[in-house]
Amino acid sequence: MFSKLYMLYAKRNSNRTPLEDFNTECFAGVLNMSPGILDSFIDFLELSRGEYKVTTQAHYSLAETSNCIIDMVLESESTVCFIENKVNSKEGWEQLDRYTQVLNKYYANAELKNKKNIHLKYCTKNVDIKQRAEFEFSQFRWFQIGKLLAENHNDDALASNYLNFLQQNGMAIDPSISTDTVVTLKNFRNTYDTMEYHIEESAKNFKNAFPKAKLAKRHKTDRRNDLEAKNRISNSIPYPLKDTSVNSEILYSIDFDEVQLQSQIWLSKDHPQIVKVLELAEKSKLFEFIQNYDIGLGLRNRQPLYTFIENENSDKEIKQWFKESFEKIRKFIEMTPELGWSDNVIIRK
């Protein structure tokens, strides 16, 4: 049933098939329609028993211009549990941080009369380890849900249908150790060193594009943190705009999730210049991707790494691509003095 519905959805939405959203809605439907499965899931999450309401895509306001959408919320009189669900992607930028902000604002506030036990959960298909100290945080994976259904509800038609859906989408088995994992592990150090080489090779051109700028320090620990938190290797210039009260940066990177080269100007969501920057960026035609998230604005140019496969001149062409992308960023800065760029990124003639 679920697999057929997903195939129908995918057919009618050929340009986008959000398996994550579809899966979340299906699982929430199973929980709402089967009290026995809901009780098993509550026990699995180690929540206190009670009458739980299960909602998806729950909207919470964080500020006047900022909202946060929670994938799944389980709430009873005594307990609230936020769950972020992922399938083939990893945590979005500051997603769990934003969940934490909502929990603090609406459930952990000392002034609230009816405070609740608070839980934060992160569910994935693949391994994506997180370390968080807030609330009752824990992680689980979809294959564990499949195992829960198979072992405790194999006579339930709804559970069997949903389990079949998980199996058909590769979510009902533990994919931690696979052929790809072994091959990747064997080649990981060489792959990492190669990507690091390309970032360092372009550092000189980055500095030449912005000769007065101070690059963010990149110690080995910072590089590992960058790789773990954002799945990329990068160099950056912090605060290219004069207003330093809110984060902004110029950055170039090799992104491991999307397997691509990337350069960008980034402004956090509360930056006072964000509306003007967006307007001028769209007029400039210098960026292939202008992405305005609820967490911030990214002006980006990208190039897939596969375009350099088996290319004898790949090192030179990667270096040239980055150089040209830096020139586009610099041109945008030169075209928009009204934005109030910091002196460290302005080229004085």
Side-chain angles (χ1 to χ4, degrees):
M1 176 181 70
F2 292 108
S3 296
K4 289 182 178 179
L5 286 172
Y6 182 63
M7 289 174 63
L8 179 63
Y9 184 89
K11 185 176 181 180
R12 292 186 175 182
N13 298 269
S14 57
N15 294 327
R16 184 170 183 264
T17 55
L19 178 59
E20 289 176 0
D21 292 346
F22 186 86
N23 179 55
T24 295
E25 296 299 331
C26 288
F27 187 45
V30 170
L31 296 176
N32 280 320
M33 288 188 282
S34 178
I37 296 175
L38 177 57
D39 285 343
S40 293
F41 186 53
I42 294 301
D43 292 343
F44 170 79
L45 295 177
E46 298 183 346
L47 308 182
S48 58
R49 281 290 188 96
E51 296 292 326
Y52 280 86
K53 178 183 178 182
V54 181
T55 56
T56 59
Q57 301 298 304
H59 287 247
Y60 290 84
S61 174
L62 279 177
E64 291 183 5
T65 59
S66 177
N67 293 312
C68 183
I69 301 174
I70 313 300
D71 279 356
M72 183 180 286
V73 179
L74 278 65
E75 188 169 4
S76 70
E77 288 188 3
S78 64
T79 304
V80 62
C81 177
F82 280 11
I83 306 175
E84 169 64 12
N85 291 326
K86 294 295 182 185
V87 178
N88 292 318
S89 64
K90 292 192 174 184
E91 179 199 0
W93 181 263
E94 297 181 344
Q95 225 165 357
L96 291 174
D97 287 338
R98 289 169 62 76
Y99 279 28
T100 299
Q101 291 174 38
V102 172
L103 287 168
N104 274 317
K105 179 177 179 179
Y106 289 92
Y107 296 99
N109 191 317
E111 297 179 0
L112 295 176
K113 294 181 179 179
N114 299 314
K115 293 181 68 175
K116 298 189 177 188
N117 298 318
I118 301 173
H119 296 257
L120 177 60
K121 311 296 181 183
Y122 184 48
C123 179
T124 60
K125 172 186 173 182
N126 302 309
V127 176
D128 186 15
I129 299 173
K130 302 293 176 184
Q131 300 291 336
R132 303 193 68 86
E134 306 95 337
F135 310 124
E136 296 291 331
F137 176 74
S138 63
Q139 298 181 233
F140 61 99
R141 291 162 64 194
W142 286 111
F143 85 88
Q144 294 174 275
I145 300 302
K147 186 176 180 181
L148 178 74
L149 297 176
E151 292 181 351
N152 299 287
H153 303 281
N154 60 355
D155 58 344
D156 186 301
L158 190 62
S160 296
N161 268 284
Y162 182 64
L163 177 59
N164 181 62
F165 171 75
L166 293 179
Q167 291 169 338
Q168 290 193 6
N169 287 279
M171 299 163 63
I173 59 172
D174 183 358
S176 299
I177 304 300
S178 63
T179 301
D180 284 347
T181 305
V182 174
V183 172
T184 300
L185 184 61
K186 182 178 179 180
N187 295 286
F188 176 77
R189 182 56 186 267
N190 183 57
T191 300
Y192 179 87
D193 287 345
T194 300
M195 298 303 101
E196 181 75 23
Y197 164 81
H198 288 300
I199 290 295
E200 289 305 310
E201 275 292 286
S202 291
K204 183 177 180 180
N205 287 331
F206 195 45
K207 293 174 183 176
N208 287 341
F210 309 100
K212 294 192 294 181
K214 293 183 179 180
L215 273 60
K217 293 182 180 180
R218 297 183 68 244
H219 300 299
K220 287 185 177 180
T221 302
D222 297 325
R223 295 174 186 178
R224 294 192 196 101
N225 291 341
D226 203 28
L227 184 62
E228 181 177 342
K230 301 169 187 174
N231 215 20
R232 71 188 184 197
I233 302 174
S234 66
N235 260 333
S236 64
I237 298 171
Y239 302 111
L241 289 158
K242 288 182 179 179
D243 190 319
T244 60
S245 62
V246 184
N247 184 49
S248 63
E249 66 179 2
I250 298 172
L251 175 143
Y252 75 97
S253 66
I254 296 177
D255 185 281
F256 281 42
D257 271 336
E258 302 295 334
V259 196
Q260 63 189 2
L261 313 179
Q262 177 172 287
S263 65
Q264 69 173 5
I265 298 174
W266 172 262
L267 281 73
S268 289
K269 59 182 175 62
D270 297 326
H271 201 287
Q273 294 284 70
I274 199 166
V275 175
K276 190 64 176 178
V277 171
L278 175 60
E279 176 187 340
L280 295 175
E282 290 174 339
K283 289 180 180 179
S284 75
K285 308 296 183 184
L286 289 169
F287 303 97
E288 296 175 20
F289 301 91
I290 298 176
Q291 296 169 303
N292 192 12
Y293 302 103
D294 60 353
I295 57 171
L297 175 67
L299 314 179
R300 298 185 170 112
N301 285 307
R302 296 173 173 175
Q303 182 70 20
L305 266 178
Y306 70 76
T307 60
F308 304 101
I309 292 175
E310 304 299 337
N311 186 333
E312 293 181 357
N313 297 312
S314 61
D315 57 336
K316 294 180 180 178
E317 293 188 11
I318 288 173
K319 191 174 181 179
Q320 182 63 25
W321 185 90
F322 273 129
K323 182 180 179 181
E324 291 174 0
S325 74
F326 303 154
E327 291 170 354
K328 290 178 182 178
I329 292 174
R330 192 171 78 175
K331 185 175 181 180
F332 178 70
I333 291 172
E334 291 171 348
M335 290 169 54
T336 57
E338 64 268 39
L339 291 175
W341 298 98
S342 173
D343 288 340
N344 67 354
V345 296
I346 296 175
I347 307 297
R348 301 290 185 188
K349 295 184 178 180

